[in-house]
Amino acid sequence: MLFRPVLLLLAAVTLLPDEGQWLPTQVRAMDWAALQKRGMVLTKDQFWHPENGGTLSATVQINGCTASFVSKDGLLLTNHHCGFGAVSELSTPEDNLLRDGFAAKDRGSERPAPGMVAAVLKRIEDVTAVVHAEQQKAKSDLERFEVTQRTLQKLVAEGEKREANTKCSVASFLEGKEYHLYYRTQIRDVRLVYAPPRAIGEFGGEVDNWEWPRHTGDFMFFRAYVAPDGAVRDHHPENVPYQAQHFLPVSTDGVQQGDLAIIMGYPGRTQRYKTSRGVMTQQGYVYPRRLDVLTRAIAVLEAAGRTDERLGLAVADRVKSLANVQKNASGMIFGLRNNGTAARKLREEEEFTAFVKAAGKAEWNGVLAEMLAIDEAEAAVIEKETTMAFLGLLGEDVPLLGAMIEACGSALASPIGKAPSRVVQVLGSDELTAHWETIQQPLLRILAGEVGGLSAAQRIAGTDFLADGEKAVEAMLAATTMRDAAARKALFAAGKDAITASADPMVQLARALAGERVATVQRQRERFGKLLDVGRRWIQAQESFRGQSFYPDANSTLRVSIAEVAGYSPREAVTYAPHTTVAGLLQKETGKEPFANPKALLAAAATRQQSRWFDKRLGDVPVCFLTNGDTTGGNSGSPVVDGKGRLIGLNFDRVFENVAGDFGWSRERSRNVVCDVRYVLWVVESVMPSPALLGELLTTK
């Protein structure tokens, strides 16, 4: 794997804190001697070299998660919840892989995994100078945003044109201070190799989600395939396993408290340098609304799933995805409050102001005030924008409303005053009202209720008729004729004048939301454009204020977290050990979901003392362990390696007290949950045996 060196973002990392999601170049700049004292055996070139790759290069991005190559023949290991959607789609009531699990007998039995794409990083190129040069030509905040987007699109197109089998993207670091162009091989033929039964891969369900102690076997194996000449292509019977240049050997030694644990992955998004006002808005409004709305939406989908097994399979992935966001919101509310994040931000801002004054940095005098003003402007419209975000999040579950919003928007914006014929054709389909009684109507009640419940100052134009709450929403549902396909098609085929004149309350709602969608996009583009100017100066000031060990916010690019195995104390008089075992798993067994283990696991547990994966130090077969790594969403599936670069587990969660870690790492409470690789091996050997897979894992050198 070749990497073109990028400019070093920051000064050498002279400290080795467990805080930080570090770029590959920054890891190389760390005090390697100090890292060796913590247990690092690899040299910095063995861990990662800009030209030759290394252990870090075994890390792969897959469907918003992380995976890793664990054999030279393209074998990928990631979380069960990362492959949940693909397995759900492969499942039927007659062949329920989600419930029963799947183990390919040989490579010919591996099944194409719908929608799974593995992105293997080839190299990174610094394009900061190009982007900044174009940004300087902008005359306004909106123009700065638009110029930036055009420039990034051009860089991506040029990069993909230069290299075959390549997908490119540009990542912005430190509020636009730097831009890097990423070249990736995007493997589209990904096949399911092994999935444990859902009762193992999701043991504890939403009850245990974001909690400790944890006993979840959150793992799944896939394999990447390419054409015989190495070119990427869609699934084809003649495709062959991708030959991974770098892969991770499995460690069978186990880990103990204090052992070095290195987490490699693609963390999604953190907000470490947000202002106090920005944190207050999230804590005071966004997360509470998100928790309430998603709690009600999930209840609707779960109830619908119980009416029919096939529908239950169809909504399973949606429920799981939304439930994760829901509990995240709950954790954010808890963590931001208990950690006093906003108060800490206020103290830091006071210290920053004093620092700027003492340093005599005139160019930074007003930058904090400018950042606070941007966040204040966002707060002034946050109710509307949060509601529009709910429409985006739940839109696929309410296709009738989504299609009507699209039709209203396109017709009202069209020079000829008509929606495209394809849009009108879709509106004439009876499929738009599928699952009306069980899913769409109940969710419409929730969404329309949110629209009607906005404060007078932030009400969406044209939605006053919903201000009476539930009564108004019920009146809308009773009066609308838009459930009739012919009526919908006739109205929208008539064009702009008919749409504007319509008194149908659901058309009124769609019309208003179409207009607000345009307004929201415009506001956000202007805000982002301003941040490209102010934010860059803010980060420059923060770099000086905070010192040398300064890392950029996570943005779905390859990062490294240096950590160690560690327990924690979530509250007074309670201390959690860093390991869980099969004994604890059996203590949770109730025989009912989500704590019902497969019979095969219970049988294997009865003789586990004879297993080679029995750890005498723990007195049992290990299941999970904790580290104090700095992780966030996107780190799901991240390989966790020891100082020799051997796989010791895979990250799959954080503890509840650490959900708010996106806004700041805590030495006392920041803990991430890792599935011990020995539990993976025990399940593969003793619970749902796959001799071929086990052999491949244990013979990999």
Side-chain angles (χ1 to χ4, degrees), residues 119-408:
V120 183
L121 185 59
K122 296 169 65 176
R123 78 172 188 283
I124 313 166
E125 181 180 333
D126 191 286
V127 293
T128 305
V130 176
V131 179
H132 284 180
E134 293 301 313
Q135 288 174 338
Q136 289 174 4
K137 301 175 184 178
K139 301 290 193 299
S140 68
D141 294 332
L142 180 58
E143 188 178 355
R144 186 180 300 109
F145 171 83
E146 292 171 342
V147 164
T148 302
Q149 295 306 303
R150 287 197 300 270
T151 304
L152 302 189
Q153 290 167 6
K154 182 180 178 183
L155 287 167
V156 166
E158 290 174 346
E160 293 179 354
K161 185 177 180 181
R162 280 193 298 269
E163 298 188 23
N165 302 324
T166 299
K167 286 290 182 181
C168 291
S169 63
V170 179
S172 168
F173 296 89
L174 302 170
E175 303 292 356
K177 185 184 174 208
E178 293 205 8
Y179 292 86
H180 296 167
L181 176 61
Y182 285 73
Y183 293 77
R184 295 181 176 91
T185 300
Q186 211 165 32
I187 302 174
R188 300 188 301 272
D189 186 358
V190 176
R191 305 182 192 179
L192 178 64
V193 176
Y194 186 100
R198 184 176 184 177
I200 293 175
E202 202 182 23
F203 184 80
E206 291 308 317
V207 177
D208 271 5
N209 193 16
W210 304 93
E211 300 289 348
W212 185 262
R214 200 71 177 274
H215 300 84
T216 310
D218 200 346
F219 71 91
M220 195 176 289
F221 288 92
F222 295 90
R223 195 182 306 277
Y225 280 79
V226 293
D229 64 357
V232 295
R233 65 178 178 183
D234 294 335
H235 175 74
H236 191 282
E238 294 181 5
N239 281 356
V240 298
Y242 173 81
Q243 295 301 291
Q245 188 175 350
H246 301 277
F247 55 89
L248 303 176
V250 171
S251 170
T252 58
D253 295 343
V255 291
Q256 301 181 67
Q257 172 95 17
D259 282 356
L260 180 67
I262 304 165
I263 303 147
M264 311 183 299
Y266 287 87
R269 184 170 181 259
T270 55
Q271 302 178 70
R272 299 287 167 83
Y273 311 114
K274 203 168 188 67
T275 70
S276 57
R277 185 64 181 97
V279 172
M280 290 175 190
T281 300
Q282 297 293 310
Q283 179 180 348
Y285 185 82
V286 176
Y287 292 120
R289 292 310 316 137
R290 189 177 294 174
L291 176 61
D292 177 64
V293 169
L294 293 187
T295 298
R296 289 183 284 144
I298 289 165
V300 168
L301 293 170
E302 287 180 333
R306 289 192 291 270
T307 64
D308 176 77
E309 185 177 0
R310 196 172 296 275
L311 181 58
L313 283 170
V315 302
D317 189 39
R318 285 292 290 154
V319 169
K320 186 175 180 64
S321 175
L322 293 175
N324 196 50
V325 179
Q326 172 212 32
K327 194 156 187 180
N328 175 276
S330 176
M332 285 291 187
I333 296 166
F334 172 87
L336 290 173
R337 181 185 66 243
N338 283 30
N339 296 346
T341 304
R344 176 172 55 80
K345 290 284 185 180
L346 284 167
R347 291 193 299 272
E348 289 177 354
E349 287 163 6
E350 290 176 0
E351 293 168 2
F352 172 76
T353 301
F355 165 79
V356 170
K357 184 177 180 180
K361 296 287 189 179
E363 67 272 25
W364 296 339
N365 279 341
V367 71
L368 173 57
E370 289 182 83
M371 287 294 292
L372 288 168
I374 290 172
D375 286 339
E376 191 65 50
E378 181 181 24
V381 293
I382 197 63
E383 293 180 35
K384 291 193 284 190
E385 294 194 358
T386 301
T387 300
M388 296 307 293
F390 289 142
L391 286 166
L393 189 60
L394 298 173
E396 69 179 84
D397 305 302
V398 194
L400 176 59
L401 180 61
M404 288 177 61
I405 293 172
E406 176 68 24
C408 285

Side-chain angles (χ1 to χ4, degrees), residues 288-619:
R289 292 310 316 137
R290 189 177 294 174
L291 176 61
D292 177 64
V293 169
L294 293 187
T295 298
R296 289 183 284 144
I298 289 165
V300 168
L301 293 170
E302 287 180 333
R306 289 192 291 270
T307 64
D308 176 77
E309 185 177 0
R310 196 172 296 275
L311 181 58
L313 283 170
V315 302
D317 189 39
R318 285 292 290 154
V319 169
K320 186 175 180 64
S321 175
L322 293 175
N324 196 50
V325 179
Q326 172 212 32
K327 194 156 187 180
N328 175 276
S330 176
M332 285 291 187
I333 296 166
F334 172 87
L336 290 173
R337 181 185 66 243
N338 283 30
N339 296 346
T341 304
R344 176 172 55 80
K345 290 284 185 180
L346 284 167
R347 291 193 299 272
E348 289 177 354
E349 287 163 6
E350 290 176 0
E351 293 168 2
F352 172 76
T353 301
F355 165 79
V356 170
K357 184 177 180 180
K361 296 287 189 179
E363 67 272 25
W364 296 339
N365 279 341
V367 71
L368 173 57
E370 289 182 83
M371 287 294 292
L372 288 168
I374 290 172
D375 286 339
E376 191 65 50
E378 181 181 24
V381 293
I382 197 63
E383 293 180 35
K384 291 193 284 190
E385 294 194 358
T386 301
T387 300
M388 296 307 293
F390 289 142
L391 286 166
L393 189 60
L394 298 173
E396 69 179 84
D397 305 302
V398 194
L400 176 59
L401 180 61
M404 288 177 61
I405 293 172
E406 176 68 24
C408 285
S410 57
L412 298 177
S414 169
I416 61 172
K418 292 202 172 189
S421 58
R422 60 171 179 79
V423 175
V424 175
Q425 202 64 34
V426 169
L427 283 166
S429 170
D430 287 328
E431 292 182 8
L432 274 186
T433 51
H435 309 300
W436 176 259
E437 298 293 339
T438 54
I439 296 179
Q440 292 207 56
Q441 184 169 256
L443 289 181
L444 259 175
R445 287 191 175 98
I446 293 172
L447 292 171
E450 287 299 297
V451 172
L454 298 180
S455 67
Q458 296 199 38
R459 185 164 296 151
I460 295 171
T463 62
D464 288 349
F465 73 98
L466 288 173
D468 287 342
E470 290 184 18
K471 181 180 178 181
V473 173
E474 292 305 318
M476 178 190 75
L477 292 170
T480 184
T481 62
M482 290 297 102
R483 284 184 60 191
D484 181 79
R488 289 194 305 269
K489 187 173 182 180
L491 173 66
F492 286 96
K496 177 178 179 179
D497 291 342
I499 296 169
T500 303
S502 175
D504 186 297
M506 195 161 170
V507 177
Q508 287 180 268
L509 175 61
R511 206 166 54 213
L513 294 176
E516 181 56 33
R517 185 170 64 178
V518 172
T520 297
V521 169
Q522 180 79 356
R523 282 195 305 268
Q524 291 178 343
R525 287 180 173 180
E526 291 177 351
R527 190 185 307 145
F528 295 156
K530 183 179 286 293
L531 273 171
L532 289 171
D533 172 37
V534 181
R536 192 188 309 171
R537 288 184 280 118
W538 168 246
I539 289 297
Q540 288 171 339
Q542 288 292 301
E543 283 181 350
S544 180
F545 169 58
R546 292 172 184 265
Q548 289 182 322
S549 296
F550 188 90
Y551 54 90
D553 266 319
N555 61 354
S556 294
T557 57
L558 184 58
R559 303 295 180 94
V560 178
S561 295
I562 306 296
E564 61 185 31
V565 177
Y568 78 114
S569 178
R571 55 190 178 275
E572 185 180 17
V574 176
T575 301
Y576 282 143
H579 297 276
T580 59
T581 67
V582 171
L585 181 151
L586 296 176
Q587 289 169 7
K588 289 182 177 180
E589 169 69 32
T590 64
K592 297 180 181 180
E593 293 184 359
F595 298 107
N597 286 288
K599 292 180 180 179
L601 187 146
L602 297 175
T607 59
R608 66 187 186 280
Q609 285 190 332
Q610 284 73 54
S611 170
R612 53 175 153 172
W613 312 119
F614 187 91
D615 187 326
K616 293 181 180 178
R617 295 171 300 189
L618 296 175

